[in-house]
Amino acid sequence: VPDLVDVVRAHALIADCDVDGASDAEEIASDTAACDPDWDGDQLSDPDEARCGTSAYAYDSDGDEVSDADEVAVGRSPTVFG
């Protein structure tokens, strides 16, 4: 029978407070908010930002004044200016 410490440790590794597909432990390790699925507010979840190679801290990773999510939605690269 696992003790309480083992149960808490196991839960911390699989918990996903914001239900975005990345565990709280993964988000804490990558310095994003474990209970906020979209740290930068660009409508692209933090796990999707990681998959796209964009910044979870920048609404517009390439600086072209179009949000990362808008670029992904129309098939443009959110990491290439323009």
Side-chain angles (χ1 to χ4, degrees):
V1 176
D3 65 14
L4 182 59
V5 172
D6 290 334
V7 171
V8 170
R9 282 187 184 139
H11 178 73
L13 292 175
I14 61 170
D16 184 9
C17 178
D18 55 13
V19 194
D20 66 357
S23 74
D24 294 348
E26 292 170 318
E27 293 200 69
I28 290 167
S30 66
D31 255 352
T32 58
C35 290
D36 183 349
D38 183 17
W39 179 266
D40 59 10
D42 64 0
Q43 304 302 309
L44 200 58
S45 73
D46 294 342
D48 287 340
E49 298 260 17
R51 283 188 284 277
C52 292
T54 57
S55 172
Y57 306 106
Y59 182 83
D60 174 21
S61 294
D62 59 11
D64 64 359
E65 299 183 14
V66 179
S67 79
D68 294 340
D70 287 346
E71 291 191 276
V72 169
V74 297
R76 289 179 36 195
S77 173
T79 59
V80 176
F81 187 91

